[in-house]
Amino acid sequence: MTMKDATLCLHAGYQPENGGPGVMPIVQSTTYRFDSTDHIAALFDMPTEPMYSRFANPTVDAVEKKIAALEGGVGALCTTSGQAATLFSVLNLCRAGDSILCSAAVYGGTVNLFAVTLKRLGIECIFVDPEAGEEEMKRALRPNTRLVFGETLANPALIVCDIEKLARVAHGHGIPLIIDNTFATPILCKPFRFGADIVVHSTTKYMDGHALQVGGVIVDSGKFDWTNGNFPEFTEPDESYHGVVYTKSFGDAAYIIKARMQLMRDFGCYPAAHSAFLLNLGLETLAVRMPRYAENGRRAAEYLAACPKVESVTYPGLPQDKYHALAEKYLGGRASGVVTFNIRGGRENAVRFMDSLQLACNEVHVADIRTCVLHPASETHRQLTDEQLAACGIHPGMIRLSVGLEDIDDILADLEQAFAKVK
Ligand SMILES: *Cc1c(COP(=O)(O)O)cnc(C)c1O
């Protein structure tokens, strides 16, 4: 039986046994006892049950299965942060001497990880303009390019990724496409339907939804053909894992099992059962919350677009937005709750406006259940001069508004009273 998202949010991943707890329990244990050495030996061959909580745990496993079901994938691996998920998704395919191709419209943390830290590890990132044509992107590929990376709805630029275009570029080169689907969540976009092979998330944002804990996840579509000759580490014996051949032993789940058995085994950034339990509470209502975020986001964007104290608004859900057509195609027109706008009067007015808000929280977070705001020029990007800000597309008066689930009338009234306090 194939179920709809709202049902999967509640039921996928955990089916109580007869008389078992109705809610997935927190399995607070590092280890698992087995009756025989043979049983444990078999688990080393085919890791079907958790045996050690550095890389598997029943509570986390239930959440992994739920997210895999929502994305339409064959398996998932939770991590302690979105950054760790992005890192693992790349390290599972690359080693020193390889390169990756990445859309320039991605999260700042991803840019830093790829441009600085991976570079130190010998993996080079080639950034491409998301507007570049297919041929231009193909020309940027090199023989050692192992993957293409993009972000469904870029944080904070709100550029919608043309996933099908990136998929054609990647697949033409025999390599997979990885998509960061954090802002969209599988409720607004399922990247596998458009040709993505791997999806990553920062679960810290809408999935958790309540600003309780940092986390990440990698999801495998199971569709990429790792036997195409470009990925010998999937088709030749892994000596670090008693000679297993991932594609032979694990079939279409080769990628995600390799990530668990090599990377999670060695790096161990696995979430605690309690974190997964909290994440699950957020996931249970994700299908109910996302349309409301999108509705509140659209109403706020419309209000801002009509406000005389606002110079410009970026929200792909608005018909006049440059990315509206892509938002219709990939997000069904529902562009999340994040809106950016440039206030007239630059930095000074932006700060006055931010400090005048009473309901919206001034915090370094986004995609929260509560409305929050951020002023990049004086917070996340404060080390940059106005000239440097301009070079990376950030207006000194730019404000990122992340609309929460409060009543939209109250959110708009708060914006209105704060605008009244600026010139
Ligand atoms: C926040 C974020 C990340 C990083 O996630 P953390 O959970 O903070 O490590 C990655 N991608 C996107 C799009 C994000 O918004």
Side-chain angles (χ1 to χ4, degrees):
M1 189 169 78
T2 55
M3 290 183 289
K4 299 273 175 53
D5 286 346
T7 315
L8 293 174
C9 280
L10 287 162
H11 296 282
Y14 174 63
Q15 273 84 40
E17 291 167 13
N18 185 28
V23 175
M24 177 65 213
I26 300 171
V27 179
Q28 188 67 52
S29 182
T30 58
T31 48
Y32 308 88
R33 279 178 66 164
F34 297 97
D35 288 341
S36 70
T37 315
D38 278 354
H39 191 143
I40 298 181
L43 287 179
F44 274 94
D45 289 335
M46 182 56 79
T48 49
E49 294 165 73
M51 55 177 146
Y52 188 53
S53 294
R54 192 199 314 131
F55 46 82
N57 167 280
T59 312
V60 187
D61 178 71
V63 170
E64 287 167 341
K65 290 197 165 85
K66 177 173 287 185
I67 296 173
L70 284 167
E71 287 286 8
V74 293
L77 177 66
C78 282
T79 56
T80 44
S81 69
Q83 286 297 103
T86 304
L87 173 68
F88 276 26
S89 75
V90 173
L91 289 187
N92 206 29
L93 299 172
C94 296
R95 58 176 69 189
D98 290 336
S99 71
I100 66 179
L101 187 80
C102 183
S103 160
V106 291
Y107 173 63
T110 306
V111 172
N112 201 69
L113 170 64
F114 288 179
V116 181
T117 304
L118 284 188
K119 191 168 184 180
R120 286 194 191 124
L121 300 179
I123 298 166
E124 194 176 347
C125 182
I126 306 148
F127 288 98
V128 282
D129 181 348
E131 302 278 295
E134 225 166 297
E135 291 312 312
E136 190 183 337
M137 286 192 179
K138 283 183 181 160
R139 280 196 296 277
L141 292 164
R142 299 180 193 158
N144 69 354
T145 306
R146 310 277 289 164
L147 62 95
V148 176
F149 194 99
E151 189 170 316
T152 315
L153 180 57
N155 172 15
L158 304 181
I159 290 173
V160 182
C161 179
D162 190 346
I163 300 173
E164 287 181 348
K165 176 171 79 176
L166 291 193
R168 286 192 299 271
V169 170
H171 297 160
H173 200 63
I175 58 176
L177 172 63
I178 303 180
I179 289 289
D180 181 337
N181 198 32
T182 297
F183 269 17
T185 82
I187 305 304
L188 302 187
C189 177
K190 295 191 197 294
F192 296 155
R193 291 189 181 160
F194 300 103
D197 302 288
I198 307 295
V199 157
V200 295
H201 285 276
S202 164
T203 62
T204 318
K205 314 296 163 56
Y206 288 123
M207 280 193 172
D208 168 274
H210 298 72
L212 293 181
Q213 27 94 46
V214 171
V217 68
I218 311 171
V219 192
D220 183 355
S221 70
K223 287 193 202 134
F224 192 81
D225 178 14
W226 305 106
T227 66
N228 69 1
N230 292 335
F231 296 92
E233 66 274 37
F234 284 79
T235 54
E236 288 169 12
D238 176 1
E239 295 314 331
S240 84
Y241 188 22
H242 58 81
V244 80
V245 174
Y246 290 100
T247 46
K248 238 190 221 150
S249 293
F250 308 119
D252 60 7
Y255 175 92
I256 203 72
I257 291 188
K258 179 174 172 294
R260 188 186 299 277
M261 299 318 293
Q262 284 183 338
L263 297 173
M264 200 53 90
R265 176 197 64 189
D266 291 358
F267 291 116
C269 338
Y270 202 61
H274 192 256
S275 300
F277 181 84
L278 293 175
L279 172 56
N280 184 53
L281 293 182
L283 289 169
E284 286 183 338
T285 58
L286 189 66
V288 180
R289 290 186 288 113
M290 288 313 294
R292 175 63 82 90
Y293 281 119
E295 173 62 15
N296 280 359
R298 183 185 59 79
R299 293 274 308 273
E302 284 169 354
Y303 166 83
L304 291 165
C307 175
K309 291 184 178 168
V310 170
E311 198 174 293
S312 61
V313 180
T314 302
Y315 184 72
L318 288 178
Q320 64 269 35
D321 191 272
K322 187 173 172 195
Y323 294 95
H324 184 69
L326 288 178
E328 287 289 320
K329 174 171 180 177
Y330 292 109
L331 302 162
R334 299 181 302 180
S336 90
V338 187
V339 185
T340 63
F341 63 98
N342 295 337
I343 195 167
R344 288 189 200 282
R347 189 185 290 260
E348 199 189 323
N349 268 356
V351 170
R352 189 169 308 146
F353 173 82
M354 299 269 299
D355 290 345
S356 303
L357 289 165
Q358 291 168 1
L359 179 65
C361 332
N362 198 337
E363 63 182 22
V364 184
H365 193 38
V366 65
D368 190 351
I369 199 160
R370 286 157 284 262
T371 296
C372 57
V373 285
L374 180 99
H375 181 225
S378 49
E379 295 167 5
T380 49
H381 296 67
R382 67 174 288 108
Q383 72 278 16
L384 304 187
T385 63
D386 281 3
E387 292 73 50
Q388 288 172 320
L389 283 176
C392 57
I394 295 175
H395 187 287
M398 178 190 181
I399 292 171
R400 186 183 69 190
L401 170 67
S402 172
V403 181
L405 298 184
E406 300 91 344
D407 191 296
I408 187 64
D409 291 343
D410 294 327
I411 296 170
L412 299 183
D414 188 33
L415 298 178
E416 182 86 20
Q417 66 79 25
F419 277 122
K421 299 200 175 106
V422 302
K423 287 176 268 171

